[in-house]
Amino acid sequence: MVVFNGMLKIKICEAVNLKPTAWSLRHAVGPKPQTFLLDPYIALNVDDSRIGQTSTKQKTNSPAWNDEFVTDVCNGRKIEMAVFHDAPIGYDDFVANCTIQFEDLLQNGSRHFEDWIDLEPEGRVYVIIDLSGSSGEGKTVGFLSYSAVNSRFIVHYWTHDSGLLHPKIRVSRAMPFVYETCPAWFSLQ
């Protein structure tokens, strides 16, 4: 899978045709559900890391934000946008979402994307995305150490899940290779 490393600049311009879910209407009082107006905002994530959130627009199903976010990305795989209704009582209500794969953005060689993206279950969002950096295949990195206490080699490694480094440890009595100086950095495919 292709991953992106570098700077992500994303502008969330506007959304159209947002519709409240049945859950969003549970506290609705007054007008018919077809005319219910949302107080929407978009939560923006790269993989599982929160990048930011747009401002909340009051009483509209076609909000215009023009909010811009800039962040560094390490081994990013996808951009996720989720629209929520800023509920006056309890937790905010899910309205719609979409996922954009970095691989799809990078496949045509362009570092600029500007278009409408369909939301699920309903609606569309207009975004402008600029990427500056590099892309490549995801890798795992780590190093080898030796524990004199229990006579074992220990492989310490980190996986690049969700653009973040997650530590892992693997212990073995016999390794097929021995480095004279430890730790020695290596890359696992």
Side-chain angles (χ1 to χ4, degrees):
M1 170 170 269
V2 173
V3 296
F4 173 73
N5 293 294
M7 186 172 26
L8 163 68
K9 180 178 171 184
I10 182 167
K11 184 174 184 178
I12 301 175
C13 300
E14 63 180 310
V16 294
N17 301 326
L18 298 178
K19 303 256 183 337
T21 62
W23 183 253
S24 298
L25 297 171
R26 71 191 183 286
H27 297 299
V29 183
K32 296 180 182 179
Q34 296 87 353
T35 60
F36 182 80
L37 296 176
L38 297 167
D39 296 333
Y41 68 87
I42 292 183
L44 177 65
N45 294 340
V46 171
D47 298 319
D48 294 326
S49 299
R50 176 64 63 96
I51 300 305
Q53 173 179 314
T54 65
S55 57
T56 299
K57 297 300 179 181
Q58 301 295 316
K59 300 190 182 333
T60 180
N61 292 345
S62 295
W65 290 286
N66 292 309
D67 289 354
E68 195 170 288
F69 303 90
V70 178
T71 187
D72 287 322
V73 176
C74 178
N75 290 317
R77 296 183 188 325
K78 62 187 174 184
I79 301 168
E80 300 170 316
M81 289 182 278
V83 182
F84 291 93
H85 166 65
D86 191 0
I89 300 171
Y91 297 105
D92 292 347
D93 300 326
F94 170 81
V95 175
N97 69 348
C98 68
T99 300
I100 305 165
Q101 301 292 331
F102 278 109
E103 186 170 11
D104 296 337
L105 293 172
L106 297 165
Q107 72 183 1
N108 63 3
S110 174
R111 298 290 178 158
H112 179 80
F113 175 85
E114 184 172 346
D115 206 353
W116 288 98
I117 298 172
D118 291 330
L119 296 167
E120 293 294 330
E122 292 191 51
R124 299 175 83 197
V125 62
Y126 191 80
V127 298
I128 300 170
I129 300 172
D130 288 300
L131 303 172
S132 57
S134 62
S135 61
E137 294 296 320
K139 291 184 178 179
T140 302
V141 296
F143 66 91
L144 175 71
S145 65
Y146 180 76
S147 171
V149 175
N150 57 10
S151 301
R152 291 189 176 160
F153 288 96
I154 302 172
V155 177
H156 306 266
Y157 65 99
W158 292 262
T159 59
H160 290 287
D161 297 333
S162 309
L164 301 172
L165 294 174
H166 297 284
K168 311 282 184 189
I169 296 176
R170 182 179 297 155
V171 179
S172 174
R173 285 192 181 274
M175 296 295 284
F177 53 90
V178 177
Y179 290 101
E180 288 187 60
T181 57
C182 291
W185 287 93
F186 63 92
S187 178
L188 301 172
Q189 295 296 330

